[in-house]
Amino acid sequence: MEKPVFWNNTKRYYDLKSFWRNRFGGRVYKLPIDAGFTCPNRDGALATGGCIYCDGRGSRLRQAGPLPSVSEQIAKGRDYYRKHRRAGQFIAYFQTFTNTYGPLDHLKRLYDEALAQEDVIGLSVGTRPDCVPDPVIRLLEGYAQKHHVWLEFGLQSMHDRTLNLINRGHSQAIFVDAVQRAADKKIQICTHIIVGLPGESRDDILQTARFLAALPIQGIKIHALLVLRETALGKQYEDGVIALMTRDEYVRTVCDILEILPPEMVIQRLTADGYRDIFLAPQWAANKMEVLNAIDRELERRDSHQGSDHALA
């Protein structure tokens, strides 16, 4: 299978930068927003403590004091990217915790405020699959008639045993239902997965990739498992209960995933980075660029690319 011409890039995968350029003809940047949300498995609605890898602090803005308004956060980010990256168009990215977890009128006020800002052409809303009732999907569908809208679901793994182990508080079936209800509504769907979760083998991870490749999903974020201090995962690591992937294992597994995914799926992320002040492991993940370069080299060594094994998945 040849590399798709429509990517219009020099990569061996369809990266977000290339997607923006193809879709909008120029530079587009996501502006991260902390709108003050929490999560149902943190506030007691489902559980407390959150996912085992989450430190619960939220964004650096939240740690610094009262949160600026959505419009203030956008203005600051927009000024930075205009100056340093020559950006002209922006996506308001509601990033911190579960950004559909609240009354519908509250969500609408926040999203309306974001879309009213200069040069903001759309929304990206990070959430959980158990926090998108039909009224929320209809709200986002309405925005998608005139704006570019992404709905980002944290999944992490297709395996219910893993979801239970990491305290996600939802099942694979709930995720599938959310995707099916949001599909075919002009909403772009992005899914987050974590590579290296406790108890998962390489085959388990590739099963998740095949599972996602068969769903109506337009984008994916692939994260390395990061161990942070003052988390349940951090305690397990310090107690020697869990083992982490090496960089080479992570790179090979990510390349295996890319080969399985359909060539039109937008690769929004290939690794992860965390707060340095509470970062424990793995040390190789602290250098994001080295990991990305290693993925490029491995795909080149294989003479492979995203989607090369999709037909076999």
Side-chain angles (χ1 to χ4, degrees):
M1 177 180 172
E2 297 292 331
K3 170 183 169 179
V5 175
F6 75 85
W7 289 357
N8 192 29
N9 66 18
T10 59
K11 298 280 189 182
R12 290 177 178 264
Y13 54 88
Y14 192 30
D15 65 311
L16 184 60
K17 182 178 179 180
S18 300
F19 171 78
W20 294 139
R21 185 174 58 246
N22 287 342
R23 185 71 174 261
F24 299 108
R27 295 172 183 261
V28 177
Y29 283 87
K30 293 172 76 172
L31 302 176
I33 296 167
D34 184 340
F37 288 99
T38 183
C39 285
N41 68 340
R42 182 164 290 282
D43 69 0
L46 286 175
T48 58
C51 302
I52 65 170
Y53 46 77
C54 179
D55 70 297
R57 297 193 304 177
S59 69
R60 289 181 174 85
L61 274 180
R62 187 176 300 203
Q63 298 166 45
L67 284 171
S69 68
V70 167
S71 55
E72 289 171 327
Q73 292 182 48
I74 288 175
K76 184 174 181 180
R78 183 180 57 209
D79 290 347
Y80 174 86
Y81 283 112
R82 279 175 173 171
K83 179 178 179 181
H84 296 282
R85 306 290 176 83
R86 294 177 295 151
Q89 299 181 100
F90 304 92
I91 301 293
Y93 178 25
F94 287 84
Q95 179 181 31
T96 307
F97 294 127
T98 305
N99 294 271
T100 59
Y101 185 46
L104 192 68
D105 58 346
H106 177 63
L107 302 181
K108 186 175 187 304
R109 282 196 300 271
L110 293 173
Y111 303 158
D112 284 350
E113 181 179 354
L115 288 169
Q117 306 309 305
E118 182 182 2
D119 294 329
V120 171
I121 60 173
L123 301 172
S124 189
V125 181
T127 189
R128 295 166 51 90
D130 55 352
C131 291
V132 283
D134 287 341
V136 170
I137 290 178
R138 286 195 293 269
L139 176 65
L140 294 174
E141 181 183 13
Y143 291 124
Q145 305 308 307
K146 294 183 179 179
H147 304 280
H148 188 66
V149 176
W150 283 91
L151 184 57
E152 299 194 21
F153 288 129
L155 171 65
Q156 319 318 348
S157 171
M158 69 166 283
H159 302 286
D160 283 343
R161 68 178 188 278
T162 302
L163 298 177
N164 290 331
L165 180 67
I166 64 176
N167 196 38
R168 281 296 295 172
H170 66 77
S171 65
Q172 178 203 122
I174 287 174
F175 169 78
V176 172
D177 173 69
V179 168
Q180 290 175 340
R181 286 186 295 109
D184 301 323
K185 292 180 170 60
K186 294 189 176 180
I187 300 170
Q188 307 287 308
I189 300 172
C190 179
T191 300
H192 297 220
I193 64 170
I194 296 177
V195 171
L197 288 167
E200 290 211 339
S201 66
R202 174 180 174 275
D203 285 345
D204 291 331
I205 297 166
L206 298 189
Q207 284 178 28
T208 293
R210 295 185 186 99
F211 165 73
L212 295 176
L215 290 174
I217 293 169
Q218 291 74 46
I220 191 169
K221 288 185 177 179
I222 303 172
H223 301 259
L225 179 66
L226 301 183
V227 181
L228 306 178
R229 289 186 181 89
E230 300 181 8
T231 65
L233 184 69
K235 186 176 188 307
Q236 291 176 15
Y237 175 76
E238 291 175 320
D239 290 345
V241 175
I242 61 167
L244 301 178
M245 279 186 163
T246 66
R247 192 188 76 173
D248 286 347
E249 289 172 331
Y250 181 78
V251 166
R252 289 196 298 269
T253 305
V254 168
C255 291
D256 293 339
I257 292 169
L258 289 174
E259 290 171 349
I260 289 169
L261 297 178
E264 64 273 13
M265 187 177 287
V266 183
I267 309 302
Q268 294 205 21
R269 182 181 287 272
L270 284 176
T271 186
D273 45 14
Y275 294 130
R276 294 189 181 276
D277 61 326
I278 58 171
F279 180 77
L280 280 176
Q283 289 306 311
W284 55 262
N287 193 325
K288 182 177 177 181
M289 191 52 63
E290 279 191 3
V291 178
L292 294 176
N293 289 339
I295 291 169
D296 289 342
R297 289 194 300 270
E298 175 63 12
L299 288 171
E300 185 175 357
R301 185 193 69 78
R302 299 182 184 192
D303 191 22
S304 180
H305 55 77
Q306 175 187 344
S308 60
D309 286 344
H310 176 58
L312 305 176

